Amino acid sequence: MRVILLLVALSQAAAFILPRSPLSVHRGSPLAAALYAKTKFKNFEEMLEKFEEPLLVDFYATWCGPCQLMSKELVTVGSTMSGQVKVAKVDTDKYPNLGDKYDVEGLPTCILFKGGKPVHRMIGLLKADQIKAEIAPFL
Amino acid sequence: MAGKQVVFHIGGWSSCGFYNKAASVLASLSVLFPSRLRVVNHMYGSRDEYRSWLLGEDETNGFRDTFAGVSKANKQTSSPFSWIEADGSNNFVGGCDDTLDWCKSFVSPAGDSGKAKSKMQADGHTADHGYDYDLVVIGGGSGGLAASKEAARFGAKVAVLDFVKPSPAGSTWGLGGTCVNVGCIPKKLMHNAALIGEILTNDVQPYGFTAPEQTEGHKWESMRESVQNHIRGLNFNYRVTLREKNVTYLNKLGKFIDAHTLELTDKKGKVSQLTSSRFIVATGGRPTTLDCEGGEHAITSDDIFSLEKSPGKTLCVGASYISLECAGFLAGLGLDTTIAVRSILLRGFDREIADKIGAHMEDHGVKFKNGVVPSKLEKASDGKITVTFSDGSSDVYDTVLTAIGRRADTEKLGVDAVGVKTNPKNGKIVCTDEQTSVSNIYAIGDVMEGCPELTPVAIQAGKMLSRRLFDGSDEPMDYQNICTTVFTPLEYGVVGMSEEDAKAASGCGSKIEVYHSNFTPLEWSLSEHRQKHPAFCKVIVSKDDDRVLGMHYLGPHAGEVTQGFGVSMKKGMTFDELTNTVGIHPTSAETFTDLTITKSSGESADSKGC
């Protein structure tokens, strides 16, 4: 259904806490342009709380080839599973602290959040069917 | 260790087991190496007689007291007591253990300096120091990252600060330092692009391929994108690795307030502080800018690798490796390239090789303006830059690249405030075994005076420093015989001394022999154009002991060819050992094992057939 591109200004770093800042959604790549939803949240944690559905977050980078291919697969997942899961993307170059917080060590990494907590992690490029099969047990 | 004969004295008494042990080792060595060692024994019949000689009548005027100011000698009472006589004075060695240590180093190969101990002073670090960190590394480049990860390996609490001050042209980059972002990595990739261009021009047809349609020539934007994407991947990897190794990464600019406190500023301008028991400064260097009128219109190596549009017709100002390597690949990509040389190419490098590199580049289409510097740059509204040179000539370029030197990045560090001594000429920090004039502050890499400006040197020095700081090691960094390669269109690999340095070191030219050879790499044989310039190698040998003092290779894959010889040079290889090594055929590297022609013979260095 909708892939939300997040602009998250995150709070956590190991020893220094920066203040929370407002987050807004941003029209990103041509892929998201047709699919974006404008929603305002205070920060990533708040967004996790507010979403009742499970949230599948794709951690990516613009320079990462497999990430671009993964985006396309996620659009399929989002559209065929709308109502069951929402799909969102985080640019780890823009928000490195988020990547650090969720221990993202390779790209792409997809984390399924339920009730604000990470419940499943997939690393590397997967096809839409594989992604759906992996997250199904958690929904 | 060839050269003068050592005169070694050892005193002791006849039934002393330690004296006999040390003296017998010395006797064997002097039998084996009579030209290098002469031993003088001072054997006393009894302990009392020995002590009477050593300590004197009232223990204040014995032989041991003739070593003025050497407290270890002045306090010794045991047997044996040894010293070396040199140029009329006596140098204290010690007892049995010290004598045997000396004997071991006497028989070690010349290149083996592993016995040397670091001269670092204690810096007051204790486990319960109470500061925020055990170690804060300022600078997340080659040296800084290596040092921080190594220190964390030994359990130290470590943080790395990395903050890139944008270049005057506005370029900035991620974690990893100069090498990864604006140095070795993009340079080698773009140099490789130029080599691919050469293959397309020279080799496609003779090797039987059909030339692909090259309607657009080289597309700068595509190359730039691939290179930058790779660099961003490396930036990401470094971040992840620091996290894995438990090193805290802070994207902030650090400045010393006192020897244990740093003021930090983040990119939004927010200021904070942290304290640490120890610091390592690894801030590296930045390009020196052109100070003539209009110099601000020029870019530097900080900018060239991320330039969005092709640099077009380019002037490179400078004649050392950064300028030559950049001009080399720009010309190789088909761009109109000129180099403005103030005096000579590659100052400090072997002259003969530097001249050959220049000649090859000229044949390759690079234009040289010799003996000039730019005196004025004027930028027109269409972006083109008119450069007026010191000889009155002028020309118009799309891009001017300044590569006239690099200066240590210590200006905003606050080193003066804490008393860290720097060299005023270049801002570099003066150190002994990487320790600055402030005992708990250290420095490694390009920012340190006397450190060869090479990534692997900084990495090695950083690791060894961390071992000394947190693992009780006393091994100093060995800066001798470091191999390096200049990636000009005709690549140059070198380990050891230049011919000029070897001549100067040996006193006069007759103590060294130079073997050399011009050769054509087999792969070039099918292309007429490539054969116009032969490859070249030479080896400088000491006539005293046949030891190889320097190896020089000018040809393809120079880095790969040179690396292995680095180990041989460390072990003090002789020319005999080199030429007795069976070569791998057919390669360019094997030329080293076939060398027979000397410069002194006057014979042609051109190699004959196979």
Side-chain angles (χ1 to χ4, degrees), chain A residues 14-16 18 62-63 92-93 96-97 99-100 103-107, chain B residues 133 229 232-233 236 239-240 243-244 248 250 252 264 270 272-274:
Chain A
F16 298 88
L18 302 171
T62 53
W63 43 263
T92 52
D93 274 346
N97 290 341
D100 284 349
D103 269 321
V104 173
E105 295 192 354
L107 299 175
Chain B
Y133 290 94
N229 281 348
R232 305 249 268 297
F236 178 84
R239 263 195 93 99
V240 169
R243 221 167 63 218
E244 273 173 16
T248 304
L250 301 168
K252 301 184 186 197
L264 306 176
K270 224 187 91 183
S272 54
Q273 276 193 11
L274 61 61

PDB file of all heavy atoms in Angstrom, chain A residues 14-16 18 62-63 92-93 96-97 99-100 103-107, chain B residues 133 229 232-233 236 239-240 243-244 248 250 252 264 270 272-274:
ATOM      1  N   ALA A  14      25.286   6.354  22.210  1.00  0.00           N
ATOM      2  CA  ALA A  14      25.740   5.592  23.383  1.00  0.00           C
ATOM      3  C   ALA A  14      25.876   6.422  24.645  1.00  0.00           C
ATOM      4  O   ALA A  14      25.314   6.104  25.675  1.00  0.00           O
ATOM      5  CB  ALA A  14      27.046   4.902  23.073  1.00  0.00           C
ATOM      6  N   ALA A  15      26.612   7.517  24.583  1.00  0.00           N
ATOM      7  CA  ALA A  15      26.878   8.227  25.830  1.00  0.00           C
ATOM      8  C   ALA A  15      26.227   9.600  25.875  1.00  0.00           C
ATOM      9  O   ALA A  15      26.188  10.236  26.897  1.00  0.00           O
ATOM     10  CB  ALA A  15      28.370   8.377  26.030  1.00  0.00           C
ATOM     11  N   PHE A  16      25.750  10.078  24.749  1.00  0.00           N
ATOM     12  CA  PHE A  16      25.217  11.437  24.726  1.00  0.00           C
ATOM     13  C   PHE A  16      23.772  11.416  24.260  1.00  0.00           C
ATOM     14  O   PHE A  16      23.463  10.863  23.232  1.00  0.00           O
ATOM     15  CB  PHE A  16      26.040  12.305  23.761  1.00  0.00           C
ATOM     16  CG  PHE A  16      27.469  12.411  24.187  1.00  0.00           C
ATOM     17  CD1 PHE A  16      28.411  11.473  23.771  1.00  0.00           C
ATOM     18  CD2 PHE A  16      27.871  13.416  25.046  1.00  0.00           C
ATOM     19  CE1 PHE A  16      29.724  11.550  24.191  1.00  0.00           C
ATOM     20  CE2 PHE A  16      29.183  13.499  25.458  1.00  0.00           C
ATOM     21  CZ  PHE A  16      30.107  12.571  25.031  1.00  0.00           C
ATOM     22  N   LEU A  18      20.779  13.440  22.768  1.00  0.00           N
ATOM     23  CA  LEU A  18      20.402  14.695  22.118  1.00  0.00           C
ATOM     24  C   LEU A  18      18.889  14.853  22.246  1.00  0.00           C
ATOM     25  O   LEU A  18      18.183  13.866  22.350  1.00  0.00           O
ATOM     26  CB  LEU A  18      20.784  14.663  20.639  1.00  0.00           C
ATOM     27  CG  LEU A  18      22.264  14.411  20.350  1.00  0.00           C
ATOM     28  CD1 LEU A  18      22.475  14.190  18.873  1.00  0.00           C
ATOM     29  CD2 LEU A  18      23.105  15.569  20.835  1.00  0.00           C
ATOM     30  N   THR A  62      21.737   5.111  -0.272  1.00  0.00           N
ATOM     31  CA  THR A  62      21.603   5.431  -1.699  1.00  0.00           C
ATOM     32  C   THR A  62      22.693   4.792  -2.550  1.00  0.00           C
ATOM     33  O   THR A  62      22.507   4.550  -3.732  1.00  0.00           O
ATOM     34  CB  THR A  62      21.664   6.953  -1.934  1.00  0.00           C
ATOM     35  OG1 THR A  62      22.862   7.446  -1.299  1.00  0.00           O
ATOM     36  CG2 THR A  62      20.458   7.642  -1.343  1.00  0.00           C
ATOM     37  N   TRP A  63      23.844   4.514  -1.895  1.00  0.00           N
ATOM     38  CA  TRP A  63      24.959   3.985  -2.671  1.00  0.00           C
ATOM     39  C   TRP A  63      24.925   2.457  -2.721  1.00  0.00           C
ATOM     40  O   TRP A  63      25.798   1.814  -3.283  1.00  0.00           O
ATOM     41  CB  TRP A  63      26.283   4.454  -2.066  1.00  0.00           C
ATOM     42  CG  TRP A  63      26.312   4.371  -0.570  1.00  0.00           C
ATOM     43  CD1 TRP A  63      26.068   5.395   0.309  1.00  0.00           C
ATOM     44  CD2 TRP A  63      26.544   3.219   0.230  1.00  0.00           C
ATOM     45  NE1 TRP A  63      26.155   4.941   1.594  1.00  0.00           N
ATOM     46  CE2 TRP A  63      26.447   3.603   1.588  1.00  0.00           C
ATOM     47  CE3 TRP A  63      26.848   1.868  -0.050  1.00  0.00           C
ATOM     48  CZ2 TRP A  63      26.629   2.720   2.642  1.00  0.00           C
ATOM     49  CZ3 TRP A  63      27.033   0.985   1.006  1.00  0.00           C
ATOM     50  CH2 TRP A  63      26.918   1.415   2.336  1.00  0.00           C
ATOM     51  N   THR A  92      20.133   5.283   6.080  1.00  0.00           N
ATOM     52  CA  THR A  92      21.106   5.205   7.173  1.00  0.00           C
ATOM     53  C   THR A  92      22.213   6.257   7.070  1.00  0.00           C
ATOM     54  O   THR A  92      22.907   6.519   8.044  1.00  0.00           O
ATOM     55  CB  THR A  92      21.768   3.813   7.241  1.00  0.00           C
ATOM     56  OG1 THR A  92      22.278   3.494   5.940  1.00  0.00           O
ATOM     57  CG2 THR A  92      20.784   2.760   7.685  1.00  0.00           C
ATOM     58  N   ASP A  93      22.414   6.849   5.899  1.00  0.00           N
ATOM     59  CA  ASP A  93      23.399   7.933   5.795  1.00  0.00           C
ATOM     60  C   ASP A  93      22.855   9.179   6.473  1.00  0.00           C
ATOM     61  O   ASP A  93      23.586   9.907   7.128  1.00  0.00           O
ATOM     62  CB  ASP A  93      23.690   8.261   4.326  1.00  0.00           C
ATOM     63  CG  ASP A  93      24.780   7.363   3.759  1.00  0.00           C
ATOM     64  OD1 ASP A  93      25.479   6.695   4.553  1.00  0.00           O
ATOM     65  OD2 ASP A  93      24.925   7.336   2.525  1.00  0.00           O
ATOM     66  N   PRO A  96      22.298   7.989  10.801  1.00  0.00           N
ATOM     67  CA  PRO A  96      23.208   6.922  11.241  1.00  0.00           C
ATOM     68  C   PRO A  96      22.930   6.451  12.663  1.00  0.00           C
ATOM     69  O   PRO A  96      23.140   5.279  12.972  1.00  0.00           O
ATOM     70  CB  PRO A  96      24.597   7.565  11.126  1.00  0.00           C
ATOM     71  CG  PRO A  96      24.381   9.026  11.058  1.00  0.00           C
ATOM     72  CD  PRO A  96      23.031   9.249  10.490  1.00  0.00           C
ATOM     73  N   ASN A  97      22.448   7.344  13.504  1.00  0.00           N
ATOM     74  CA  ASN A  97      22.191   6.936  14.891  1.00  0.00           C
ATOM     75  C   ASN A  97      21.108   5.877  14.982  1.00  0.00           C
ATOM     76  O   ASN A  97      21.150   4.986  15.832  1.00  0.00           O
ATOM     77  CB  ASN A  97      21.814   8.145  15.742  1.00  0.00           C
ATOM     78  CG  ASN A  97      23.014   9.061  15.950  1.00  0.00           C
ATOM     79  OD1 ASN A  97      24.151   8.644  15.776  1.00  0.00           O
ATOM     80  ND2 ASN A  97      22.758  10.305  16.298  1.00  0.00           N
ATOM     81  N   GLY A  99      20.551   3.650  12.666  1.00  0.00           N
ATOM     82  CA  GLY A  99      21.213   2.424  12.225  1.00  0.00           C
ATOM     83  C   GLY A  99      22.004   1.804  13.367  1.00  0.00           C
ATOM     84  O   GLY A  99      21.973   0.600  13.594  1.00  0.00           O
ATOM     85  N   ASP A 100      22.712   2.673  14.106  1.00  0.00           N
ATOM     86  CA  ASP A 100      23.491   2.200  15.246  1.00  0.00           C
ATOM     87  C   ASP A 100      22.583   1.589  16.298  1.00  0.00           C
ATOM     88  O   ASP A 100      22.864   0.531  16.847  1.00  0.00           O
ATOM     89  CB  ASP A 100      24.238   3.378  15.899  1.00  0.00           C
ATOM     90  CG  ASP A 100      25.447   3.789  15.072  1.00  0.00           C
ATOM     91  OD1 ASP A 100      25.812   3.055  14.139  1.00  0.00           O
ATOM     92  OD2 ASP A 100      26.022   4.862  15.363  1.00  0.00           O
ATOM     93  N   ASP A 103      21.477  -1.798  15.535  1.00  0.00           N
ATOM     94  CA  ASP A 103      22.573  -2.718  15.177  1.00  0.00           C
ATOM     95  C   ASP A 103      22.561  -3.126  13.718  1.00  0.00           C
ATOM     96  O   ASP A 103      22.725  -4.300  13.394  1.00  0.00           O
ATOM     97  CB  ASP A 103      22.476  -4.004  16.013  1.00  0.00           C
ATOM     98  CG  ASP A 103      23.292  -3.862  17.278  1.00  0.00           C
ATOM     99  OD1 ASP A 103      24.393  -3.278  17.214  1.00  0.00           O
ATOM    100  OD2 ASP A 103      22.819  -4.313  18.325  1.00  0.00           O
ATOM    101  N   VAL A 104      22.367  -2.148  12.843  1.00  0.00           N
ATOM    102  CA  VAL A 104      22.369  -2.470  11.418  1.00  0.00           C
ATOM    103  C   VAL A 104      23.810  -2.600  10.963  1.00  0.00           C
ATOM    104  O   VAL A 104      24.575  -1.649  11.007  1.00  0.00           O
ATOM    105  CB  VAL A 104      21.663  -1.353  10.613  1.00  0.00           C
ATOM    106  CG1 VAL A 104      21.810  -1.592   9.124  1.00  0.00           C
ATOM    107  CG2 VAL A 104      20.200  -1.288  11.000  1.00  0.00           C
ATOM    108  N   GLU A 105      24.208  -3.809  10.544  1.00  0.00           N
ATOM    109  CA  GLU A 105      25.605  -4.020  10.167  1.00  0.00           C
ATOM    110  C   GLU A 105      25.793  -4.274   8.683  1.00  0.00           C
ATOM    111  O   GLU A 105      26.895  -4.238   8.182  1.00  0.00           O
ATOM    112  CB  GLU A 105      26.168  -5.192  10.966  1.00  0.00           C
ATOM    113  CG  GLU A 105      26.201  -4.852  12.430  1.00  0.00           C
ATOM    114  CD  GLU A 105      27.005  -5.838  13.249  1.00  0.00           C
ATOM    115  OE1 GLU A 105      27.435  -6.851  12.668  1.00  0.00           O
ATOM    116  OE2 GLU A 105      27.196  -5.574  14.438  1.00  0.00           O
ATOM    117  N   GLY A 106      24.687  -4.560   7.993  1.00  0.00           N
ATOM    118  CA  GLY A 106      24.778  -4.785   6.561  1.00  0.00           C
ATOM    119  C   GLY A 106      23.567  -4.162   5.909  1.00  0.00           C
ATOM    120  O   GLY A 106      22.542  -3.956   6.555  1.00  0.00           O
ATOM    121  N   LEU A 107      23.696  -3.861   4.616  1.00  0.00           N
ATOM    122  CA  LEU A 107      22.542  -3.255   3.946  1.00  0.00           C
ATOM    123  C   LEU A 107      22.144  -4.076   2.728  1.00  0.00           C
ATOM    124  O   LEU A 107      23.024  -4.555   1.997  1.00  0.00           O
ATOM    125  CB  LEU A 107      22.908  -1.828   3.495  1.00  0.00           C
ATOM    126  CG  LEU A 107      23.287  -0.877   4.614  1.00  0.00           C
ATOM    127  CD1 LEU A 107      23.746   0.442   4.021  1.00  0.00           C
ATOM    128  CD2 LEU A 107      22.119  -0.636   5.549  1.00  0.00           C
TER     129      LEU A 107
ATOM    130  N   TYR B 133      37.317   8.702  29.607  1.00  0.00           N
ATOM    131  CA  TYR B 133      37.863   7.647  28.753  1.00  0.00           C
ATOM    132  C   TYR B 133      39.302   7.324  29.123  1.00  0.00           C
ATOM    133  O   TYR B 133      40.008   8.149  29.701  1.00  0.00           O
ATOM    134  CB  TYR B 133      37.840   8.090  27.274  1.00  0.00           C
ATOM    135  CG  TYR B 133      36.457   8.181  26.690  1.00  0.00           C
ATOM    136  CD1 TYR B 133      35.774   9.395  26.679  1.00  0.00           C
ATOM    137  CD2 TYR B 133      35.827   7.063  26.155  1.00  0.00           C
ATOM    138  CE1 TYR B 133      34.504   9.488  26.153  1.00  0.00           C
ATOM    139  CE2 TYR B 133      34.558   7.145  25.628  1.00  0.00           C
ATOM    140  CZ  TYR B 133      33.899   8.355  25.633  1.00  0.00           C
ATOM    141  OH  TYR B 133      32.635   8.439  25.109  1.00  0.00           O
ATOM    142  N   ASN B 229      30.174   5.840  -4.613  1.00  0.00           N
ATOM    143  CA  ASN B 229      29.353   4.811  -3.976  1.00  0.00           C
ATOM    144  C   ASN B 229      30.223   3.837  -3.193  1.00  0.00           C
ATOM    145  O   ASN B 229      29.890   3.420  -2.088  1.00  0.00           O
ATOM    146  CB  ASN B 229      28.539   4.039  -5.027  1.00  0.00           C
ATOM    147  CG  ASN B 229      27.331   4.818  -5.470  1.00  0.00           C
ATOM    148  OD1 ASN B 229      26.964   5.825  -4.858  1.00  0.00           O
ATOM    149  ND2 ASN B 229      26.701   4.374  -6.542  1.00  0.00           N
ATOM    150  N   ARG B 232      31.335   5.508   0.023  1.00  0.00           N
ATOM    151  CA  ARG B 232      30.285   5.567   1.040  1.00  0.00           C
ATOM    152  C   ARG B 232      30.116   4.208   1.711  1.00  0.00           C
ATOM    153  O   ARG B 232      29.838   4.118   2.907  1.00  0.00           O
ATOM    154  CB  ARG B 232      28.976   6.022   0.414  1.00  0.00           C
ATOM    155  CG  ARG B 232      29.173   7.344  -0.295  1.00  0.00           C
ATOM    156  CD  ARG B 232      28.495   8.498   0.347  1.00  0.00           C
ATOM    157  NE  ARG B 232      27.174   8.731  -0.189  1.00  0.00           N
ATOM    158  CZ  ARG B 232      26.917   9.059  -1.440  1.00  0.00           C
ATOM    159  NH1 ARG B 232      27.887   9.206  -2.299  1.00  0.00           N
ATOM    160  NH2 ARG B 232      25.677   9.229  -1.832  1.00  0.00           N
ATOM    161  N   GLY B 233      30.294   3.144   0.909  1.00  0.00           N
ATOM    162  CA  GLY B 233      30.223   1.809   1.494  1.00  0.00           C
ATOM    163  C   GLY B 233      31.326   1.620   2.533  1.00  0.00           C
ATOM    164  O   GLY B 233      31.105   1.037   3.597  1.00  0.00           O
ATOM    165  N   PHE B 236      30.478   3.464   5.726  1.00  0.00           N
ATOM    166  CA  PHE B 236      29.501   2.706   6.502  1.00  0.00           C
ATOM    167  C   PHE B 236      30.180   1.574   7.262  1.00  0.00           C
ATOM    168  O   PHE B 236      29.953   1.377   8.457  1.00  0.00           O
ATOM    169  CB  PHE B 236      28.440   2.140   5.548  1.00  0.00           C
ATOM    170  CG  PHE B 236      27.392   1.301   6.217  1.00  0.00           C
ATOM    171  CD1 PHE B 236      26.289   1.904   6.808  1.00  0.00           C
ATOM    172  CD2 PHE B 236      27.501  -0.079   6.261  1.00  0.00           C
ATOM    173  CE1 PHE B 236      25.314   1.127   7.421  1.00  0.00           C
ATOM    174  CE2 PHE B 236      26.531  -0.854   6.882  1.00  0.00           C
ATOM    175  CZ  PHE B 236      25.433  -0.252   7.457  1.00  0.00           C
ATOM    176  N   ARG B 239      32.024   2.682  10.356  1.00  0.00           N
ATOM    177  CA  ARG B 239      31.101   2.946  11.469  1.00  0.00           C
ATOM    178  C   ARG B 239      30.718   1.668  12.173  1.00  0.00           C
ATOM    179  O   ARG B 239      30.734   1.568  13.397  1.00  0.00           O
ATOM    180  CB  ARG B 239      29.814   3.553  10.915  1.00  0.00           C
ATOM    181  CG  ARG B 239      29.692   5.022  10.942  1.00  0.00           C
ATOM    182  CD  ARG B 239      28.234   5.386  10.709  1.00  0.00           C
ATOM    183  NE  ARG B 239      27.568   5.514  11.975  1.00  0.00           N
ATOM    184  CZ  ARG B 239      27.349   6.677  12.566  1.00  0.00           C
ATOM    185  NH1 ARG B 239      27.764   7.784  12.015  1.00  0.00           N
ATOM    186  NH2 ARG B 239      26.706   6.710  13.709  1.00  0.00           N
ATOM    187  N   VAL B 240      30.325   0.685  11.358  1.00  0.00           N
ATOM    188  CA  VAL B 240      29.888  -0.585  11.924  1.00  0.00           C
ATOM    189  C   VAL B 240      31.025  -1.255  12.689  1.00  0.00           C
ATOM    190  O   VAL B 240      30.827  -1.769  13.797  1.00  0.00           O
ATOM    191  CB  VAL B 240      29.382  -1.520  10.797  1.00  0.00           C
ATOM    192  CG1 VAL B 240      29.183  -2.920  11.312  1.00  0.00           C
ATOM    193  CG2 VAL B 240      28.090  -0.979  10.211  1.00  0.00           C
ATOM    194  N   ARG B 243      31.644   0.175  16.078  1.00  0.00           N
ATOM    195  CA  ARG B 243      30.619  -0.273  17.017  1.00  0.00           C
ATOM    196  C   ARG B 243      30.917  -1.685  17.494  1.00  0.00           C
ATOM    197  O   ARG B 243      30.852  -2.002  18.668  1.00  0.00           O
ATOM    198  CB  ARG B 243      29.270  -0.246  16.294  1.00  0.00           C
ATOM    199  CG  ARG B 243      28.154   0.271  17.138  1.00  0.00           C
ATOM    200  CD  ARG B 243      26.946   0.559  16.290  1.00  0.00           C
ATOM    201  NE  ARG B 243      26.404  -0.619  15.653  1.00  0.00           N
ATOM    202  CZ  ARG B 243      25.897  -0.622  14.410  1.00  0.00           C
ATOM    203  NH1 ARG B 243      25.885   0.471  13.688  1.00  0.00           N
ATOM    204  NH2 ARG B 243      25.401  -1.724  13.910  1.00  0.00           N
ATOM    205  N   GLU B 244      31.277  -2.531  16.531  1.00  0.00           N
ATOM    206  CA  GLU B 244      31.589  -3.931  16.862  1.00  0.00           C
ATOM    207  C   GLU B 244      32.746  -4.029  17.839  1.00  0.00           C
ATOM    208  O   GLU B 244      32.798  -4.897  18.694  1.00  0.00           O
ATOM    209  CB  GLU B 244      32.007  -4.685  15.599  1.00  0.00           C
ATOM    210  CG  GLU B 244      30.886  -5.275  14.811  1.00  0.00           C
ATOM    211  CD  GLU B 244      31.379  -5.853  13.491  1.00  0.00           C
ATOM    212  OE1 GLU B 244      32.613  -6.050  13.343  1.00  0.00           O
ATOM    213  OE2 GLU B 244      30.539  -6.090  12.623  1.00  0.00           O
ATOM    214  N   THR B 248      33.625   4.164  20.816  1.00  0.00           N
ATOM    215  CA  THR B 248      32.593   5.181  20.661  1.00  0.00           C
ATOM    216  C   THR B 248      33.012   6.162  19.574  1.00  0.00           C
ATOM    217  O   THR B 248      34.139   6.666  19.599  1.00  0.00           O
ATOM    218  CB  THR B 248      32.424   5.960  21.991  1.00  0.00           C
ATOM    219  OG1 THR B 248      32.139   5.025  23.025  1.00  0.00           O
ATOM    220  CG2 THR B 248      31.288   6.971  21.882  1.00  0.00           C
ATOM    221  N   LEU B 250      32.376   9.737  17.688  1.00  0.00           N
ATOM    222  CA  LEU B 250      31.735  11.038  17.854  1.00  0.00           C
ATOM    223  C   LEU B 250      32.055  11.917  16.661  1.00  0.00           C
ATOM    224  O   LEU B 250      33.228  12.173  16.365  1.00  0.00           O
ATOM    225  CB  LEU B 250      32.258  11.715  19.133  1.00  0.00           C
ATOM    226  CG  LEU B 250      32.012  10.929  20.418  1.00  0.00           C
ATOM    227  CD1 LEU B 250      32.823  11.530  21.559  1.00  0.00           C
ATOM    228  CD2 LEU B 250      30.537  10.945  20.780  1.00  0.00           C
ATOM    229  N   LYS B 252      32.458  14.965  15.984  1.00  0.00           N
ATOM    230  CA  LYS B 252      32.634  16.290  16.574  1.00  0.00           C
ATOM    231  C   LYS B 252      34.076  16.752  16.412  1.00  0.00           C
ATOM    232  O   LYS B 252      35.010  15.936  16.334  1.00  0.00           O
ATOM    233  CB  LYS B 252      32.292  16.243  18.064  1.00  0.00           C
ATOM    234  CG  LYS B 252      30.871  15.778  18.290  1.00  0.00           C
ATOM    235  CD  LYS B 252      30.480  15.812  19.746  1.00  0.00           C
ATOM    236  CE  LYS B 252      29.091  15.198  19.869  1.00  0.00           C
ATOM    237  NZ  LYS B 252      28.438  15.492  21.104  1.00  0.00           N
ATOM    238  N   LEU B 264      34.356  19.933  22.628  1.00  0.00           N
ATOM    239  CA  LEU B 264      33.847  19.345  21.392  1.00  0.00           C
ATOM    240  C   LEU B 264      32.786  20.238  20.781  1.00  0.00           C
ATOM    241  O   LEU B 264      31.951  20.787  21.495  1.00  0.00           O
ATOM    242  CB  LEU B 264      33.201  17.986  21.692  1.00  0.00           C
ATOM    243  CG  LEU B 264      34.044  16.961  22.442  1.00  0.00           C
ATOM    244  CD1 LEU B 264      33.210  15.730  22.731  1.00  0.00           C
ATOM    245  CD2 LEU B 264      35.261  16.592  21.631  1.00  0.00           C
ATOM    246  N   LYS B 270      26.915  22.937  18.492  1.00  0.00           N
ATOM    247  CA  LYS B 270      26.726  22.693  19.925  1.00  0.00           C
ATOM    248  C   LYS B 270      28.044  22.286  20.565  1.00  0.00           C
ATOM    249  O   LYS B 270      28.780  21.462  20.028  1.00  0.00           O
ATOM    250  CB  LYS B 270      25.689  21.594  20.128  1.00  0.00           C
ATOM    251  CG  LYS B 270      24.695  21.942  21.219  1.00  0.00           C
ATOM    252  CD  LYS B 270      23.803  20.795  21.530  1.00  0.00           C
ATOM    253  CE  LYS B 270      24.439  19.974  22.652  1.00  0.00           C
ATOM    254  NZ  LYS B 270      23.659  18.789  22.976  1.00  0.00           N
ATOM    255  N   SER B 272      30.386  20.803  23.815  1.00  0.00           N
ATOM    256  CA  SER B 272      30.380  19.959  25.014  1.00  0.00           C
ATOM    257  C   SER B 272      31.826  19.667  25.382  1.00  0.00           C
ATOM    258  O   SER B 272      32.749  20.187  24.741  1.00  0.00           O
ATOM    259  CB  SER B 272      29.608  18.664  24.744  1.00  0.00           C
ATOM    260  OG  SER B 272      30.142  18.017  23.604  1.00  0.00           O
ATOM    261  N   GLN B 273      32.022  18.838  26.409  1.00  0.00           N
ATOM    262  CA  GLN B 273      33.395  18.526  26.835  1.00  0.00           C
ATOM    263  C   GLN B 273      33.538  17.051  27.109  1.00  0.00           C
ATOM    264  O   GLN B 273      32.555  16.364  27.415  1.00  0.00           O
ATOM    265  CB  GLN B 273      33.697  19.267  28.139  1.00  0.00           C
ATOM    266  CG  GLN B 273      34.142  20.688  27.944  1.00  0.00           C
ATOM    267  CD  GLN B 273      34.734  21.263  29.228  1.00  0.00           C
ATOM    268  OE1 GLN B 273      34.984  20.530  30.177  1.00  0.00           O
ATOM    269  NE2 GLN B 273      34.939  22.552  29.246  1.00  0.00           N
ATOM    270  N   LEU B 274      34.785  16.570  27.026  1.00  0.00           N
ATOM    271  CA  LEU B 274      35.046  15.254  27.585  1.00  0.00           C
ATOM    272  C   LEU B 274      36.477  15.217  28.120  1.00  0.00           C
ATOM    273  O   LEU B 274      37.300  16.054  27.774  1.00  0.00           O
ATOM    274  CB  LEU B 274      34.801  14.138  26.564  1.00  0.00           C
ATOM    275  CG  LEU B 274      35.553  14.000  25.254  1.00  0.00           C
ATOM    276  CD1 LEU B 274      37.042  13.800  25.397  1.00  0.00           C
ATOM    277  CD2 LEU B 274      34.977  12.820  24.475  1.00  0.00           C
TER     278      LEU B 274
END
